[in-house]
Amino acid sequence: MTTLSSTKDTLPNLYDLSLADMERLLADWAQPAYRARQIFRQLYVNLADTPLTMTDLPLTLRERLAAETRLEPLTPEQVQTADNGLTRKALFRLPGDALVESVLMIYPDRATVCVSTQAGCGMGCVFCATGALGLLRNLSSGEIVAQVVWAAREMRRFAAGRQPAPANPPADDAWWTPDDLESDAPSVPQSSSASRLTNIVFMGMGEPFANYDRWWRAVEIIHDPRGLNIGARSMTVSTVGLVPGIRRLATETLPINLAISLHAPDDDLRSAMMPVNRRYPLAALLDATRDYLAATGRRVSFEYVLLQGKNDEPEHAAKLAALLRGEAGPAGLPLHLVHVNLIPWNPVPGMPLGRSERRHVLTFQRILHERGIACTVRVERGVAIAAACGQLAGGVAR
Ligand code: SAH
Ligand code: SF4
C-alpha cells in the first residue's frame, strides 16, 4: 500500500503541467504536439476528471495517461453554502491530510473563486484564523489549479440548474441593507446570470508570495487561453507585504492585480498586528510599492482590516492618509493609482478582538475621501459560514 501510493506520488500531476510541459511529456512518448493541446482542452475546457473519458484520444494514450500520470481533481469533504446559495465554501483534504478551503462567490454578472496557496500560514497575523494554524505546508501548483477547476465545475452545475435571474438584480455593492442600519448583514443578490467562472482572487489560506514559484506556475496555467482562459486582469493576488514578491511581480509579463495588506498606519501598530512588519517595515513596503507602480502603471489596492478600538479611530485614518500622501516620513505614492479597501474584521472564535461599528467605518472612509484617497468598504460574503476573509481555518478553528 505504502509502496503503491509513494510510486503514484512520483508520477507527474497533470494539473502541475503547463501546455509546454505537456508537449514535452508527449514528445517523450513519441506523440504529436496536438495531443498535448487535446489533453489540455480536456482538463480545462471539458473539465474531465479522468483520462479515460478523454474520448478524442486513442485508447492506448488514455490508458498510458491513467497509468503514468496523476489526475487528482479535488472533491470537497464538505461544502457549506450561504447568501442564497451564491456563496459556497469547500473544504478539501489533500495528500498528507492537510485541509484547505476555497470559496466560490457568485455575483449577478460574474463569479469569483477565492483560492488557497498554502495549508495554514506562517505569517502569524494576530487577527487571522489561518495565521493561528501556523504553516502546515506549501500547496503544489496542481493543488492550486485544482481549486480553480473545482470552482469551474461548480459554476457549470450552477449554470445548468439556475433559475432565471430577476429583471433587475439587486446591486452587490451595498454593505448594509438601507433599512437595517445597525445590522452587519451584507445585502446579497437573490440570483445571478453568471454562467462561468470569471475571476480568481488569491486571498484564501496562506501567503502567495511565500510560495511564489508554485503559485506563479498555477497563475500561468489558469491564464492559458487554450484552457481555463482567465484573463490576467481578472486575477488578484493579496500579499501580507513580502517586499521581494512585490518586486518580482513587477517584472512578470502577465498583468495580474496586486492587493497589499496594510492594516496599520505606523510601524509600531503594524508590527503588533503583523510580525512581518519587523522584517519589511512600512518604509520598505512603500518603496517597493512605489517602484511597482512606476514599473507597471497598474493600480494597487491596500487592504485595511478594521479592528474595533485598535486601528479604526479617526486619528488612524488621518495618519494613513498622511502616510500614503507622503506627509509622514516616507515619500508618498501616486494617489491616482492607489485604492484603499476597508474590511471590517470578520470574527474568529477565541480572538479577543472586535469588528468595527458601521459609523466608525464610515467616518474612516470619509476622512480618507476628504484627503483625496479612493476608498471602498469591502462587501463580505459568507461571514456566517466562516468563509470570509481571514476566517478560513480548514475546519479546525470551529
Ligand atoms: N496572506 C495574504 C492573503 C490571504 S488573507 C494576505 O495576508 O494578504 C486575505 C486578506 O484577509 C488579507 O488582507 C488579510 O489581512 C485579511 N484578513 C485576515 N484575517 C481577517 C479577518 N479575520 N477579517 C477580515 N479580514 C481578514
Ligand atoms: Fe497569513 Fe494573510 Fe492570515 Fe497574515 S492575514 S496570517 S499573511 S493568511
Side-chain angles (χ1 to χ4, degrees):
M1 183 71 190
T2 322
T3 350
L4 250 184
S5 71
S6 52
T7 317
K8 189 84 184 150
D9 286 350
T10 60
L11 300 177
N13 176 350
L14 290 179
Y15 288 141
D16 266 329
L17 306 182
S18 66
L19 181 53
D21 296 331
M22 222 169 272
E23 283 169 356
R24 273 188 290 273
L25 178 77
L26 276 277
D28 288 347
W29 292 3
Q31 293 279 340
Y34 72 86
R35 291 287 182 216
R37 289 195 293 277
Q38 283 179 302
I39 297 169
F40 206 75
R41 200 181 154 75
Q42 282 286 358
L43 291 175
Y44 300 120
V45 179
N46 298 359
L47 309 176
D49 54 11
T50 155
L52 300 173
T53 61
M54 300 179 180
T55 47
D56 51 343
L57 304 177
L59 182 60
T60 47
L61 180 55
R62 278 183 264 159
E63 285 173 347
R64 183 157 189 196
L65 283 168
E68 297 181 31
T69 67
R70 286 184 290 148
L71 175 51
E72 294 172 339
L74 291 174
T75 309
E77 212 165 84
Q78 198 186 81
V79 179
Q80 284 175 282
T81 62
D83 308 328
N84 311 314
L86 298 180
T87 302
R88 302 163 184 216
K89 178 175 80 165
L91 173 71
F92 302 111
R93 187 178 297 276
L94 303 178
D97 262 4
L99 292 166
V100 294
E101 291 174 319
S102 315
V103 184
L104 174 64
M105 293 158 286
I106 306 172
Y107 297 94
D109 56 348
R110 65 184 201 282
T112 300
V113 65
C114 177
V115 168
S116 297
T117 54
Q118 299 182 306
C121 180
M123 296 294 143
C125 304
V126 299
F127 46 85
C128 172
T130 308
L133 301 174
L135 177 63
L136 304 170
R137 72 168 170 86
N138 283 320
L139 301 193
S140 67
S141 309
E143 288 168 337
I144 298 171
V145 170
Q147 294 171 65
V148 177
V149 171
W150 164 76
R153 282 210 182 95
E154 196 73 7
M155 278 312 290
R156 189 167 64 181
R157 266 195 296 274
F158 173 78
R162 183 188 34 229
Q163 305 298 314
N168 292 308
D172 68 330
D173 56 359
W175 182 36
W176 288 273
T177 49
D179 52 359
D180 187 12
L181 291 179
E182 287 316 305
S183 157
D184 269 4
S187 147
V188 166
Q190 299 297 306
S191 71
S192 158
S193 56
S195 57
R196 61 180 284 264
L197 183 67
T198 55
N199 295 70
I200 316 284
V201 294
F202 298 98
M203 295 188 184
M205 300 170 76
E207 166 53 37
F209 290 172
N211 187 21
Y212 195 110
D213 292 333
R214 295 182 193 86
W215 163 71
W216 187 257
R217 168 183 280 263
V219 168
E220 291 180 322
I221 294 171
I222 294 161
H223 169 262
D224 197 314
R226 294 155 298 190
L228 287 160
N229 190 22
I230 307 282
R233 302 287 184 156
S234 305
M235 294 196 234
T236 301
V237 64
S238 172
T239 179
V240 71
L242 294 183
V243 163
I246 296 172
R247 295 199 175 283
R248 191 164 162 195
L249 186 67
T251 68
E252 305 285 4
T253 46
L254 284 184
I256 76 164
N257 303 302
L258 173 63
I260 299 174
S261 296
L262 198 57
H263 306 333
D266 64 59
D267 279 320
D268 285 349
L269 185 55
R270 194 163 188 272
S271 296
M273 292 168 62
M274 307 165 75
V276 73
N277 192 68
R278 291 193 274 269
R279 179 112 183 264
Y280 300 111
L282 284 171
L285 182 57
L286 290 184
D287 259 355
T289 308
R290 202 177 304 106
D291 293 346
Y292 173 90
L293 293 173
T296 66
R298 296 199 298 274
R299 250 156 70 115
V300 155
S301 52
F302 286 110
E303 294 157 285
Y304 195 104
V305 168
L306 290 159
L307 295 164
Q308 187 178 22
K310 305 269 191 227
N311 67 350
D312 69 341
E313 310 280 346
E315 56 172 302
H316 297 115
K319 249 179 148 171
L320 176 61
L323 180 74
L324 299 177
R325 294 171 61 90
E327 298 158 358
L333 300 175
L335 293 185
H336 66 287
L337 293 178
V338 167
H339 181 102
V340 173
N341 212 207
L342 300 176
I343 317 172
W345 182 68
N346 297 309
V348 178
M351 286 190 179
L353 299 166
R355 179 177 170 96
S356 296
E357 288 168 40
R358 183 193 185 219
R359 59 197 169 91
H360 287 145
V361 177
L362 296 183
T363 304
F364 202 100
Q365 184 182 29
R366 181 173 48 75
I367 292 170
L368 289 177
H369 277 162
E370 284 168 1
R371 286 158 176 76
I373 293 168
C375 172
T376 50
V377 180
R378 175 171 302 169
V379 190
E380 287 291 357
R381 283 292 192 88
V383 176
I385 54 168
C389 263
Q391 292 189 309
L392 302 185
V396 176
R398 293 173 305 284

